[in-house]
Amino acid sequence: MDQIPWWKKTIVYQIYPRSFYDSTGNGIGDLKGIISKLDYIKDLGVETVWFSPFYDSPQKDFGYDIRNYREIALEYGTMEDCERLIMEMHDRGMKIVLDLVLNHTSDQHTWFVQSRSSKDNPKRDWYIWRDGRKPLGKKPPNNWKAIIRGSGWHYDAQTDQWYWTQFLPFQPDLNYRNPEVQTEMLDIVRFWLEKGVDGFRLDIIDALFEDEKFRDNPCSFRLLPSEKSPDYLFQSKKYTQHHPDTLKFLKSLRSVIDEYSPTRFMVGEVTGPMFMLRKYCGDETNDGLNLVFLFKSLGISLNTIKIRRLIQLYESFFSYPHIPTWVFSNHDRMRRISRLGGDIKKAKLNMALQLTVRGVPFIYYGEEIGMENHNLEIETSLDPVAHKFYKVPNFILMAIKKYLGESINRDECRTPMQWNSAQNAGFTKAEIDPWLPITPSYSERNVKIQTENADSLLQCYKRFLKLRNTTPALNSGTIVIINSSELPSNVLSYIRSYSHGSEKQIAVIYLNISDDSLEFKNPHKYANFAESTTVHTRNEKIKNVEIFLFPWEGVVYIA
Ligand code: GLC
């Protein structure tokens, strides 16, 4: 029997529920809309769907501010719709992953409303409250900064104390040092596991615990954060991130998850250096998170040396029994194709890398049709992070964009899914204003048009997804990068090998990371052509002795 757990072989598709499909005609996506599109996702070749939060929420951070963990936001549907979604997915052999925001709640959650009402309310200690600095107490308790701009402490006049938030002021942090909080949050996890969800994506999970003594964070040399370090504005996160108690709590969480069968899994949003990310997966026994997002791929340029190094880096920290994740876009970051100059050929090559390299691929809705970031004005943004930067002069925002390669306004990557060329891209009724404007290139970049074109990005995704799903070497094999002098320097090549009992398979991948057509001898003549990013490939017809790659073509051979 195959021992590899399903989640190591799966492909995850992320849906931002507000933007997928509006079934009610109010300009906002909803659960019934998603259910009506499940066949599309299944047909694409995706098994697992991760949903950004659809729990009850005032939607100030579009669901990442939860008001009730056991209810569904009215605008998205009801608990019955959610149960139907779970059932419909399972009926199709699909898996469902919910987004859990354990670190903080909405300030409108009844727990917080009670907590802030008085110092002796039983819920007071569910959040992190401190006196301000003496003598007047009108300064925050210490120097801790929030992840997004400015102090993370907020003064509450009613009780003359300050509460702590890792993210935005309306997202108060829960106090995990209170055992009642831990018990309640684990109960919520059980609640959803009982309903049949197959896994969780854990939001800013590296921020659960802070220093018990509330010591000031030390200085850092960094002005802006990077994939390596979240330090910014010259402050380290020593006492506010990666606390050892967070890692301990995650082990308890893992044991709850492991009580359930069939196997469930967790993927965590963690930022920091690779060794730290790896720690979140637990000790030798792998008793922490099953997966962590690796974000270095988000901004990587298509360059043979850089990609080769990245694969090696991921493999050195997440070698078997661990497994890397490959993420190129999500609801917080710039869409990958916009970093590739909107170029479909490059997007195909990027997809071929993502679906053939060792790791769990995460595809962001619309990535399969080349949906681009929509350049939107910060003044009219709905994203609360963008609000924090309203008053920052434009030249500074441009500099941040340039340095970080990111847009401050997350609306730009959250625009509605593009289903067809009709008004509003078929996301909602033509006469309705969608909650965010449709990205202008929707008339060519939509599901309908690309379904009809055999050489479209969408069809290319489908072919590669199918190949990956049916090829053990690709979904479960080891990886070895080929360093051969016979290969042109712009070709990245690796071998995926699978062996289980008498079953053996290898897949050889060649990616032409250049604008040139290339011709070279095939070092693996014994493998047969299986797939290409272009339907015009010459490799299908010519003998395997020679390989001919069009600019940005990626091909797979199998033996
Ligand atoms: C995570 C989410 C982001 C959210 C934030 C606060 O980074 O991905 O969308 O705003 O946490 O919950």
Side-chain angles (χ1 to χ4, degrees):
M1 220 185 87
D2 197 342
Q3 294 302 313
I4 300 169
W6 67 269
W7 55 265
K8 281 193 176 174
K9 298 189 274 188
T10 202
I11 293 154
V12 187
Y13 186 83
Q14 180 191 356
I15 288 187
Y16 199 68
R18 213 173 181 78
S19 284
F20 205 58
Y21 185 66
D22 172 18
S23 74
T24 59
N26 63 356
I28 294 172
D30 49 64
L31 298 190
K32 284 203 171 102
I34 292 167
I35 294 171
S36 71
K37 295 292 186 186
L38 285 179
D39 287 336
Y40 165 75
I41 305 167
K42 170 82 182 166
D43 183 52
L44 190 60
V46 163
E47 178 186 38
T48 302
V49 182
W50 146 36
F51 293 95
S52 283
F54 49 61
Y55 317 94
D56 175 40
S57 157
Q59 309 289 352
K60 285 199 209 164
D61 191 14
F62 299 110
Y64 287 92
D65 48 331
I66 299 175
R67 186 166 46 200
N68 188 334
Y69 290 83
R70 294 180 170 90
E71 294 283 349
I72 305 301
L74 269 183
E75 61 220 293
Y76 295 145
T78 60
M79 188 56 88
E80 287 70 53
D81 295 334
C82 176
E83 284 161 358
R84 204 180 126 217
L85 174 67
I86 298 173
M87 195 187 80
E88 296 263 359
M89 290 187 67
H90 286 164
D91 283 353
R92 288 170 174 80
M94 298 171 80
K95 310 278 188 184
I96 172 164
V97 169
L98 294 193
D99 206 322
L100 258 190
V101 187
L102 296 179
N103 179 67
H104 50 263
T105 67
S106 154
D107 60 357
Q108 292 182 30
H109 197 298
T110 52
W111 303 336
F112 189 69
V113 174
Q114 292 173 50
S115 182
R116 85 189 315 176
S117 66
S118 82
K119 280 188 182 167
D120 47 21
N121 185 284
K123 290 279 185 294
R124 182 65 169 185
D125 193 40
W126 278 46
Y127 293 84
I128 300 168
W129 291 97
R130 304 289 288 171
D131 286 334
R133 258 177 286 181
K134 303 280 183 280
L136 294 175
K138 294 290 177 263
K139 273 191 170 171
N142 64 21
N143 75 351
W144 294 355
K145 288 196 169 76
I147 295 172
I148 305 292
R149 249 191 119 209
S151 170
W153 291 104
H154 310 283
Y155 181 66
D156 197 53
Q158 190 164 336
T159 52
D160 191 28
Q161 277 198 319
W162 300 68
Y163 66 91
W164 163 247
T165 74
Q166 283 277 5
F167 212 68
L168 293 167
F170 57 83
Q171 290 160 314
D173 270 42
L174 283 161
N175 177 16
Y176 276 81
R177 300 209 176 275
N178 180 339
E180 282 175 25
V181 169
Q182 292 201 19
T183 308
E184 172 64 20
M185 298 319 275
L186 293 178
D187 263 10
I188 288 168
V189 168
R190 283 203 175 86
F191 173 84
W192 286 106
L193 290 170
E194 300 289 340
K195 287 212 179 283
V197 308
D198 301 285
F200 298 103
R201 177 262 184 191
L202 303 174
D203 190 66
I204 55 168
I205 199 65
D206 50 12
L208 284 194
F209 283 80
E210 292 79 21
D211 181 43
E212 220 167 348
K213 296 186 185 139
F214 292 88
R215 282 170 283 191
D216 273 349
N217 269 331
C219 298
S220 150
F221 292 116
R222 291 183 168 272
L223 171 63
L224 292 173
S226 69
E227 296 310 339
K228 225 186 193 155
S229 163
D231 298 357
Y232 78 109
L233 287 179
F234 307 112
Q235 187 178 106
S236 110
K237 297 252 173 224
K238 179 167 180 191
Y239 294 124
T240 45
Q241 197 194 21
H242 305 312
H243 195 285
D245 292 340
T246 298
L247 293 154
K248 231 163 94 190
F249 175 76
L250 291 180
K251 291 189 179 186
S252 319
L253 185 54
R254 173 66 183 265
S255 46
V256 169
I257 298 278
D258 284 350
E259 283 168 23
Y260 289 78
S261 159
T263 315
R264 322 287 166 106
F265 84 104
M266 299 183 284
V267 53
E269 185 195 25
V270 184
T271 49
M274 293 297 284
F275 82 91
M276 189 52 92
L277 301 188
R278 168 61 189 77
K279 269 193 179 178
Y280 279 79
C281 297
D283 301 324
E284 288 73 49
T285 46
N286 183 16
D287 52 358
L289 301 179
N290 306 80
L291 296 170
V292 286
F293 287 125
L294 304 179
F295 290 136
K296 274 179 186 292
S297 45
L298 287 168
I300 196 165
S301 46
L302 288 183
N303 168 295
T304 320
I305 297 172
K306 286 191 183 159
I307 294 175
R308 183 182 295 136
R309 279 204 201 122
L310 189 63
I311 297 174
Q312 282 161 345
L313 182 74
Y314 283 5
E315 284 300 313
S316 65
F317 283 94
F318 290 88
S319 58
Y320 181 87
H322 298 286
I323 185 158
T325 53
W326 282 87
V327 186
F328 287 101
S329 298
N330 67 29
H331 64 293
D332 293 329
R333 312 296 288 266
M334 186 179 282
R335 281 186 175 271
R336 179 64 174 166
I337 195 155
S338 297
R339 300 183 201 256
L340 303 177
D343 190 323
I344 296 281
K345 279 196 303 304
K346 292 184 184 168
K348 286 181 179 173
L349 192 278
N350 200 91
M351 175 279 307
L353 166 70
Q354 188 185 28
L355 297 183
T356 58
V357 76
R358 181 178 167 270
V360 178
F362 283 76
I363 301 169
Y364 185 46
Y365 80 94
E367 209 168 353
E368 73 277 21
I369 49 169
M371 259 178 81
E372 297 173 295
N373 256 45
H374 189 345
N375 273 325
L376 294 167
E377 294 297 322
I378 202 142
E379 291 79 23
T380 50
S381 61
L382 303 179
D383 173 20
V385 168
H387 292 184
K388 281 277 219 181
F389 293 84
Y390 270 169
K391 295 205 179 99
V392 176
N394 208 36
F395 75 93
I396 298 187
L397 293 180
M398 295 312 283
I400 295 179
K401 199 166 185 171
K402 192 161 171 227
Y403 176 79
L404 289 180
E406 283 302 335
S407 166
I408 296 293
N409 182 1
R410 298 179 299 174
D411 291 351
E412 296 189 352
C413 64
R414 298 173 174 178
T415 56
M417 177 67 177
Q418 297 160 192
W419 294 104
N420 56 44
S421 318
Q423 175 87 11
N424 288 332
F427 162 73
T428 185
K429 292 192 178 127
E431 63 279 13
I432 300 292
D433 277 342
W435 79 284
L436 282 178
I438 310 286
T439 302
S441 49
Y442 78 93
S443 44
E444 320 89 61
R445 300 188 179 202
N446 68 57
V447 171
K448 181 151 190 297
I449 283 206
Q450 295 196 24
T451 303
E452 288 156 6
N453 171 3
D455 202 20
S456 66
L457 181 58
L458 177 63
Q459 294 290 8
C460 190
Y461 263 90
K462 280 192 177 180
R463 292 198 306 274
F464 271 76
L465 284 164
K466 186 167 176 202
L467 181 71
R468 184 185 164 103
N469 287 330
T470 51
T471 309
L474 290 180
N475 61 45
S476 312
T478 56
I479 186 167
V480 174
I481 297 183
I482 303 176
N483 284 314
S484 159
S485 52
E486 286 176 38
L487 287 176
S489 61
N490 285 332
V491 170
L492 175 63
S493 176
Y494 40 89
I495 300 188
R496 304 286 315 274
S497 318
Y498 176 80
S499 159
H500 187 75
S502 59
E503 204 188 335
K504 293 201 172 18
Q505 188 181 51
I506 68 153
V508 193
I509 293 92
Y510 298 101
L511 304 176
N512 177 4
I513 308 188
S514 82
D515 284 321
D516 304 317
S517 295
L518 299 171
E519 213 166 341
F520 54 95
K521 292 237 172 315
N522 185 355
H524 293 276
K525 302 180 197 42
Y526 47 85
N528 294 317
F529 172 83
E531 200 46 88
S532 162
T533 52
T534 169
V535 291
H536 308 296
T537 186
R538 283 176 47 187
N539 300 295
E540 208 169 346
K541 289 158 206 115
I542 61 173
K543 277 246 161 77
N544 285 341
V545 190
E546 296 268 300
I547 293 191
F548 176 91
L549 294 179
F550 287 111
W552 304 102
E553 183 178 358
V555 293
V556 182
Y557 284 77
I558 291 180

